[in-house]
Amino acid sequence: LHVMASELGAFFEEISMALFLYSKQPSFGKLNIPKPQSVTSERRTSFFGARGAGLPRNSTLGGFGGAEKIKDVRPLHDKAFVQQCIRQLHEFLTEKGFPGSVSTKTLQSPSSKEFLKMFEFIYSQLDPTFQMPTSKVEEEVPRILKDLGYPFALSKSSMYSVGAPHTWPQVLGSLIWLIDTVKIYWYMSKQELLFSDFSEDISIEEGAEYNKLFLDYTAETYSKFMQGADTFEDEDEAYLAKLKKLYNVDEALLASMEEKHGILSDEVERLEKESQTDRLMSKRMDKVRLQTDLKKLQLFRSNVESFKANLESKCSELNEELESTAQHLESLKQEQDRLQHLLQNQKFTPADVERINREKKELQQTISSLTKSLEEAEQHMWNEETAVSKEKEKAALKLVEYNKLARKLKLIPMSAENACGHDFEIRTISDYGPSTMVQYKTQIQMPLSKLISNVEEENSRLTNMKLSLEESVEQVNSNILDKSNDLKQLREQIRRLDEQLEHDMQELAHEEQKWAAEVESVENHQKLLQKKVNQGYDEAMQQLKAAQQQYHLVLQETKEERRTVANNLASVFTTATNHLTIAEVQIYLPSLSCHRSPSVSQRHAAL
């Protein structure tokens, strides 16, 4: 705000200097440019104004708008509702043959020029002769909506930035309301056409009963509209039923007319299918093209008329200059005749002739010097006029920038937010004289200087507040940095603990797997050993059984052998005993035979 206020003060100084230079310019060379007439001066017929232009009957109910401001209950800041309104606007423009290119993407944020085209097209559905004015459209559009009865205020500043996010929903709501007004106008026109046959036979007076019905219908539908409703089919049916009852409408005739309308509609559809050409659309396109040509011709006519006016003004100036030159020439001729008469009637001496020639040369030199001075003066005048015109153009540009910046800063008009009741607007430079600069200095510079000082004070206060907030933010940032460092350390510790825990878990899992593998191997080994032991046990039992059987066999064989050996020993001992006995017997033989035969012991030893 401080920078923009400083720029505004600089603009004011430049414009003041331009006004001063303009007030000092000479009176010659000033162009007489007629002030363009505003198109808004033409008389427009309002939709709810005269009878026949809008509603088919007069009503005691005025416009929808009143003295008090009505709060807009439509959810204009809801994105879904805004998109619905955009689709409705796009469908209406497409169906009615909008001449320009339009899409839902361009309708998201249209320019002021596109909005004016759409507004002119929609309003031309009510008034076909309507033409958008070329100047002060920011005042003309809200005035037209107010005349139509639009219940909500539309500011002039919203016309400068139509596509802005904070102004487009309100402007879009006004366009949707205007479309609804057009649809109501078409509907009421159809109703007027529907009841035209009855009005020829029955004298319908617009009395208290009709006004009461219309007021009740309007009040009911308007209350529902303010509650957010968009369609009023039940109210329309009830209103039509009451009107039919009031004016004794013949239902049979209506049914026959509807049947007739259906037959004609089928015939029209059949003819359109047969022709395979949309003549209505072609006629509409021809109408739009002719309207465009008409606008171009009217614009060309206005340009030709302005050019003609300029030529007529130049022609009048040339005629005046020619008349003055002719008068001057006539006076010079009379002076020449008088001097010629004097020359013929007078007698001069050679000295007089020499003196006259000398004076003639001096006069010729004087005339040449004066002519040169006149040319220099005219050249200087032309340069001054060029410089003044350039300064005027610069001043006009600065003036436009000043007014634009003042509107941006909400200093214009007097009722603006930052104007504080002061008039900061500077009008056209040609409307003022030399005293205007002093008036503007007292009117604008002093309040503007005061405003700049207030803005500077507010700026310094906000700067101090900003510094304090920056210090607090810096302190908070340092605390946040410390806490973030602590948090980083804690996160690092947590990460390490998580890694340690994960490593321990992995080791435990590895050991568990190892133990499980060892247990599984031990179990397998146990099972294998148990299987081998069972097999060995079975083999041992079988071997035991075989050994027992063999033992029994060996035992029996041993017993048999023992018995045999015993028997053999017994037989041997018996034999030996018998032999000994025989030997003993033989020993006690006669001694004669003793030294001849061996002894018993020798025989026993030999045995």
Side-chain angles (χ1 to χ4, degrees), residues 36 217 238 273 383 405 408 448 508 519 537 542 546 582 593:
Y217 166 76
K273 288 182 179 179
N383 295 332
L405 186 58
K408 190 174 182 181
L448 190 61
L508 288 174
V519 168
Y537 177 74
Q542 291 178 1
I582 292 170
S593 64

Side-chain angles (χ1 to χ4, degrees), residues 106 109-118 159 161-163 168:
T106 57
S109 178
S111 61
S112 300
K113 187 176 181 181
E114 293 174 346
F115 164 74
L116 293 177
K117 288 183 180 179
M118 291 187 289
M159 296 293 102
S161 57
V162 174
W168 172 234

Side-chain angles (χ1 to χ4, degrees), residues 48-95:
F48 291 101
R51 179 182 177 183
L55 298 175
R57 305 180 187 280
N58 292 331
S59 173
T60 57
L61 182 68
F64 289 107
E68 60 180 0
K69 293 184 178 179
I70 302 174
K71 185 179 179 181
D72 194 352
V73 297
R74 296 175 294 179
L76 295 176
H77 295 286
D78 187 6
K79 293 184 178 180
F81 181 79
V82 171
Q83 294 300 322
Q84 180 182 357
C85 293
I86 289 174
R87 288 193 297 270
Q88 185 177 355
L89 177 60
H90 180 259
E91 291 174 359
F92 180 85
L93 294 176
T94 306
E95 290 176 359

Side-chain angles (χ1 to χ4, degrees), residues 251-302:
E251 296 289 339
L253 182 59
L254 280 178
S256 64
M257 293 295 290
E258 287 179 356
E259 184 178 1
K260 193 179 196 179
H261 179 265
I263 295 171
L264 292 175
S265 299
D266 295 337
E267 185 69 20
V268 169
E269 185 177 359
R270 184 182 62 81
L271 291 174
E272 286 180 353
K273 288 182 179 179
E274 289 177 358
S275 62
Q276 294 295 329
T277 55
D278 194 355
R279 289 179 289 178
L280 181 60
M281 184 59 69
S282 63
K283 293 298 182 183
R284 286 178 179 172
M285 294 302 293
D286 292 340
K287 180 184 176 182
V288 171
R289 188 174 65 255
L290 290 174
Q291 287 179 354
T292 305
D293 295 339
L294 180 60
K295 291 178 181 178
K296 291 181 179 179
L297 287 174
Q298 289 177 353
L299 180 61
F300 179 72
R301 179 185 174 185
S302 61

Side-chain angles (χ1 to χ4, degrees), residues 322-332:
L322 184 60
E323 289 177 358
S324 62
T325 305
Q327 292 177 0
H328 183 62
L329 180 61
E330 187 67 26
S331 62
L332 289 176

